């Protein structure tokens, strides 16, 4: 196994080798897994026994249609089926979101889940990456992220909550206000794949708010929460139009028989599921404390079922990873191939205490030289000969935002900064070179769709200052195209999609008692203030980036500034909706 470790990791561009591949290179049994973020306490042994007993039946016959399986999941979560689309894993849904709803550009904080950076790049979209700062503990500042999106003119915004790999968490009211501030974008995606493991807030999910907004999708995972990554299933929640658009593109049998069997089993095992989440949260606290006791090791706060750690100075992640696997049969996730991270960082999945003690013992021996091989300090004459941290830098400059290293050098020369061929130092607070803002698109019948930044020629310059306002900047109305001026519409509440009302269902451990909210009118708008730009209605075709409703975002219509403290949901019955898509927290 030791001879093949390096080649196994080099053969996967943005992910670790599968457990099956590692098992094939050993005696048939895989290592203890601290890499794949999976719930170790669910399903229960009794559930596995039931699936084993019915294995022949499960794999022999076709599953039911996706609509049937989705309807069963929605009855469990107390969600309208019209607002849900189930996929063969969340990555299938990310793929369809990219193909159907991402026109030209997407913004995402980095480091994060690799498909949010790689998938849009694979289809030629511009990916605007907002770097999370190590000095700030990789915390996401939503106000700065909003300014970044406005400065770049990005069409789609993504937030992962909690974020992968650092486990950073955003409170619900802040996410809702960000959604409203970005109401003029084509799409806002909130990836809640790990939210079931969070305990920082009683009701952290924004699924109910997403169903009432025209441009928001919430993505949820099932494999991570239920400890079944091999059963590829996940789902999204959105208003009926958005969810239906994605659902209409999915194959009739995109969900397999194992997924169907598990979904129909869940109603009998809600109590065990909730207990498993509580145990993971307790283990996370214990594991964080044990790892923090290791000299020089930094453990970042996490609300996921994993911990993001920075190795001591001098330790190289690929060396630590390989030695942990070959000497101790422990698989850890080295994060050098995550854009925005480096080989100095590991992501370690939360596991039972007996496994954590083994992990800590292995790290002590590898890091501090209490084994015959000595400490894991890189040396130019030794090591694996492969650094995925270097690979991540290569990807960042040559594949992410268009111009590559030559384009960056050209920008530096054009700006008169330093010696030829050397890129200029990034602006304070930026953290990494950013692509240039795309040129304004002319308004007219022949303007067409803006091209991604990668398609433009020649160096472009970044704006020196980001907009101070968190709202869309006031737009200059274009010249009339032979049509009389239009008056801005009266300020009124945005239309609320008509939601199908699911029938009342009995209380179940997986779903807290809930009532379907009857949409009520939004609060009356506040009087016009100097801080809000006067709405202007263009008389010609709407240029890219102009907010809906004559220049007003949903937040402005409601009389808020978009990101300041404000009620996230003011309609009747909102507090009675099930938390986290129906997965209620235990007290």
């Amino acid at each position: 196994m030791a001879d093949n470790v390096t080649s196994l990791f080099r053969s996967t561009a943005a992910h670790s080798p599968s457990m099956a591949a590692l098992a094939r290179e050993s005696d048939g049994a895989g290592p203890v897994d601290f890499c794949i973020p999976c719930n170790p306490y669910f399903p229960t042994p009794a559930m596995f026994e039931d699936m084993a007993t019915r294995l022949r039946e499960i794999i022999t016959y076709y599953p039911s249609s996706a609509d049937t399986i989705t309807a069963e999941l929605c009855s469990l979560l107390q969600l309208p089926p019209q607002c849900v689309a189930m996929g063969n894993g969340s990555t299938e849904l990310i793929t369809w979101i990219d193909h159907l709803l991402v026109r030209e550009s997407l913004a995402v904080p980095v480091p994060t889940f690799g498909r949010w950076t790689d998938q849009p790049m694979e289809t030629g979209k511009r990916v605007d990456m907002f770097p999370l700062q190590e000095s700030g503990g990789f915390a996401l500042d939503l106000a700065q992220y909003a300014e970044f999106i406005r400065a770049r003119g990005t069409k789609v915004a993504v937030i992962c909550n909690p974020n992968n790999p650092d486990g950073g968490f955003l409170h619900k009211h802040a996410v809702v206000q960000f959604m409203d501030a970005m109401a003029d974008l084509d799409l806002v995606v909130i990836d809640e794949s790990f939210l079931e493991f969070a305990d920082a807030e009683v009701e952290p999910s924004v699924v109910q708010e997403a169903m009432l907004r025209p441009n928001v999708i919430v993505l949820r995972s099932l494999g991570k929460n239920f400890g079944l990554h091999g059963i590829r299933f996940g789902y999204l929640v959105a208003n009926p139009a958005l969810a239906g658009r994605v659902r209409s593109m999915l194959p009739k049998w995109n969900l397999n028989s194992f997924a169907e069997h598990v979904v129909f089993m869940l109603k009998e095992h809600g109590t065990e599921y909730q207990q498993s989440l509580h145990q993971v949260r307790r283990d996370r606290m214990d594991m964080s404390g044990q790892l923090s006791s290791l000299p020089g090791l930094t453990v970042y706060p996490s609300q996921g079922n994993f911990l993001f750690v920075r190795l001591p100075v001098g330790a190289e992640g690929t060396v630590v990873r390989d030695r942990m696997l070959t000497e101790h049969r422990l698989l850890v996730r080295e994060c050098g191939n995550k854009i925005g991270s480096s080989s100095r960082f590991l992501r370690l999945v939360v596991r039972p205490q007996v496994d954590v003690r083994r992990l800590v013992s292995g790290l002590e021996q590898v890091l501090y030289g209490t084994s015959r091989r000595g400490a894991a300090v890189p040396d130019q004459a030794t090591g694996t000969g492969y650094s995925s941290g270097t690979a991540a830098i290569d990807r960042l400059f040559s594949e992410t935002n268009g111009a590559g290293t030559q384009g960056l050098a050209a920008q530096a020369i054009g700006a008169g900064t330093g010696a030829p061929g050397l890129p200029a130092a990034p602006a304070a607070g930026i953290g990494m070179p950013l692509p240039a803002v795309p040129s304004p698109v002319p308004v007219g019948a022949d303007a067409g769709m803006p091209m991604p930044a990668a398609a433009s020629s020649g160096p472009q310059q970044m704006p020196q200052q980001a907009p101070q306002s968190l709202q869309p900047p006031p737009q200059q109305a274009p010249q009339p195209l032979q049509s009389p001026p239009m008056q801005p519409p009266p300020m009124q509440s945005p239309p609320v999609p008509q939601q199908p009302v699911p029938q009342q269902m009995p209380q179940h451990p997986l779903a807290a008692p809930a009532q379907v909210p009857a949409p009520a009118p939004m609060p009356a708008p506040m009087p016009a203030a100097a801080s809000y730009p006067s709405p202007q209605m263009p008389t010609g075709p709407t240029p890219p980036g102009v907010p809906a409703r004559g220049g007003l975002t949903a937040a402005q219509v409601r009389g808020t500034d978009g990101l300041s403290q404000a009620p996230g949901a003011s309609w009747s019955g909102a507090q009675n909706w099930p938390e986290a898509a129906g997965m209620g927290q235990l007290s």
Side-chain angles (χ1 to χ4, degrees):
M1 187 178 192
D3 295 337
N4 297 324
V5 165
T6 303
S7 61
L8 282 175
F9 282 90
R10 292 190 65 178
S11 64
T12 56
H15 206 277
S16 298
S18 69
M19 189 61 67
L22 292 171
R24 285 193 294 268
E25 295 297 332
S26 63
D27 55 4
V32 178
D33 178 26
F34 283 92
C35 176
I36 308 301
C38 198
N39 185 345
Y41 299 108
F42 198 82
T44 65
M47 295 176 68
F48 277 119
E49 183 64 28
D50 177 80
M51 285 187 282
T53 301
R54 303 184 60 181
L55 177 62
R56 183 183 182 91
E57 174 188 342
I58 292 173
I59 65 176
T60 298
Y61 300 105
Y62 274 108
S64 300
S65 68
D67 290 342
T68 300
I69 304 173
T70 301
E72 175 66 15
L73 180 70
C74 289
S75 70
L76 198 66
L77 305 182
Q78 299 183 4
L79 291 173
Q82 294 85 348
C83 295
V84 175
M86 287 191 71
N88 190 249
S90 59
T91 51
E92 180 182 52
L93 297 173
I94 291 173
T95 301
W96 281 111
I97 289 171
D98 173 53
H99 281 289
L100 296 175
L101 304 174
V102 180
R103 287 192 296 149
E104 60 185 76
S105 57
L106 177 144
V108 62
V110 292
T112 194
F113 178 48
R115 292 315 301 166
W116 284 120
T117 56
D118 297 352
Q119 172 63 40
M121 288 193 295
E122 290 168 4
T123 54
K125 315 294 172 50
R126 191 186 80 230
V127 179
D128 298 331
M129 302 182 194
F130 180 75
L132 301 176
Q133 301 299 321
E134 180 182 346
S135 59
F138 296 96
L140 173 59
D141 186 314
L142 285 177
Q144 292 183 8
Y145 186 38
E147 292 179 3
F148 172 82
I149 291 169
R150 296 304 181 197
R152 296 291 297 126
T154 318
K155 300 299 184 182
V156 175
V158 175
I159 292 175
C160 294
N161 190 35
N163 189 42
N164 173 13
D166 57 274
F169 176 77
L170 298 165
H171 285 276
K172 178 178 179 177
H173 72 83
V175 177
V176 172
Q177 291 154 13
F178 178 84
M179 287 158 47
D180 286 346
M182 300 291 108
D184 60 305
L185 298 188
D186 290 351
L187 186 68
V188 176
V189 180
I190 312 298
D191 188 338
E192 295 183 348
S193 291
F194 294 97
L195 197 63
E196 296 295 324
F197 301 104
D199 59 3
E201 193 171 8
V202 176
E203 297 182 357
S205 178
V206 296
V207 289
Q208 57 269 47
E209 286 78 11
M211 289 188 292
L212 298 179
R213 283 158 174 77
N215 71 329
V216 178
I217 286 178
V218 174
L219 193 68
R220 305 301 301 270
S221 174
L222 293 173
K224 301 175 181 65
N225 308 332
F226 297 147
L228 295 168
H229 278 284
I231 300 178
R232 306 297 301 146
F233 57 165
Y235 64 100
L236 62 79
V237 183
N239 69 71
L242 269 180
R245 186 173 178 187
V246 176
R247 193 170 53 245
S248 66
M249 301 301 296
L250 298 173
K252 189 176 183 63
W253 284 291
N254 69 315
L255 303 175
N256 59 66
S257 296
F258 272 112
E260 177 179 16
H261 187 77
V262 171
V263 168
F264 276 82
M265 285 178 67
L266 292 177
K267 66 170 70 74
E268 306 297 333
H269 299 277
T271 301
E272 296 96 321
Y273 174 66
Q274 293 289 0
Q275 290 173 347
S276 76
L277 296 180
H278 266 293
Q279 187 60 52
V280 169
R281 295 164 190 153
R282 287 192 291 265
D283 288 348
R284 179 176 63 209
M285 293 181 61
D286 176 78
M287 181 173 170
S288 178
Q290 292 197 49
L291 290 172
S292 297
S293 67
L294 296 177
L297 196 74
T298 302
V299 182
Y300 295 93
S302 173
Q303 284 287 291
N305 63 330
F306 47 81
L307 296 172
F308 197 49
V309 304
R310 184 182 65 203
L311 295 170
V313 175
E316 211 281 336
T318 56
V319 176
V320 174
R321 176 201 66 200
D322 293 353
R323 288 187 57 184
M324 290 291 287
L325 183 59
T326 57
E327 298 174 20
H328 302 280
R329 296 189 61 78
L330 298 171
L331 177 63
V332 300
R333 176 64 159 96
E334 176 266 326
C335 293
N337 59 2
K338 280 186 173 292
I339 296 175
S341 180
S342 74
S343 291
R344 194 182 171 189
F345 294 89
L346 303 179
R347 187 194 64 195
L348 302 173
V349 171
V350 174
R351 290 193 61 85
Q353 293 186 20
V354 62
D355 294 336
V356 174
R357 287 193 293 269
R358 183 175 169 183
L359 172 71
V360 172
S361 175
L363 286 172
E364 287 177 334
Q365 296 182 46
V366 170
L367 291 175
Y368 311 119
T370 55
S371 69
R372 59 185 176 84
R373 289 191 59 184
V377 177
D379 186 274
Q380 293 183 353
T382 61
T384 62
Y386 166 68
S387 170
S388 57
T390 302
I393 295 174
D394 292 341
R395 291 175 64 210
L396 175 63
F397 284 98
S398 64
E399 298 181 35
T400 55
N401 287 318
T405 54
Q406 294 182 354
L408 292 171
Q411 290 182 24
I413 296 171
T417 55
L422 294 178
I430 296 301
M432 65 176 68
L434 299 176
V437 176
S439 302
V441 178
V443 177
D446 299 328
M449 179 178 293
M451 292 296 291
S456 62
S457 60
Q460 303 181 25
Q461 298 298 322
M462 279 289 294
Q464 296 301 315
Q465 295 182 350
Q468 297 299 316
S469 173
L470 298 180
Q471 295 297 328
Q475 303 291 325
Q476 298 294 329
Q479 296 296 325
L481 300 178
Q482 304 301 324
S483 59
M486 298 177 64
Q487 297 297 324
M491 296 182 69
Q492 59 185 7
S493 301
V496 178
Q498 296 296 323
Q499 301 292 337
V501 180
Q503 298 181 354
Q504 186 68 30
M505 301 171 190
Q507 183 175 352
H508 184 273
L510 280 178
Q515 298 176 0
V516 176
M522 293 296 180
M526 295 175 60
S531 59
Y532 296 145
S534 300
Q536 299 179 358
M537 274 295 284
T539 56
T542 302
V546 173
R549 298 180 53 77
L552 294 175
T553 67
Q556 288 174 314
V557 169
R558 293 180 189 141
T560 73
D561 63 7
L563 288 179
S564 63
Q565 182 80 25
S570 56
W571 44 87
S572 61
Q575 298 303 317
N576 294 325
W577 271 68
E579 179 275 327
M583 302 297 188
Q585 304 281 356
L586 289 180
S587 59

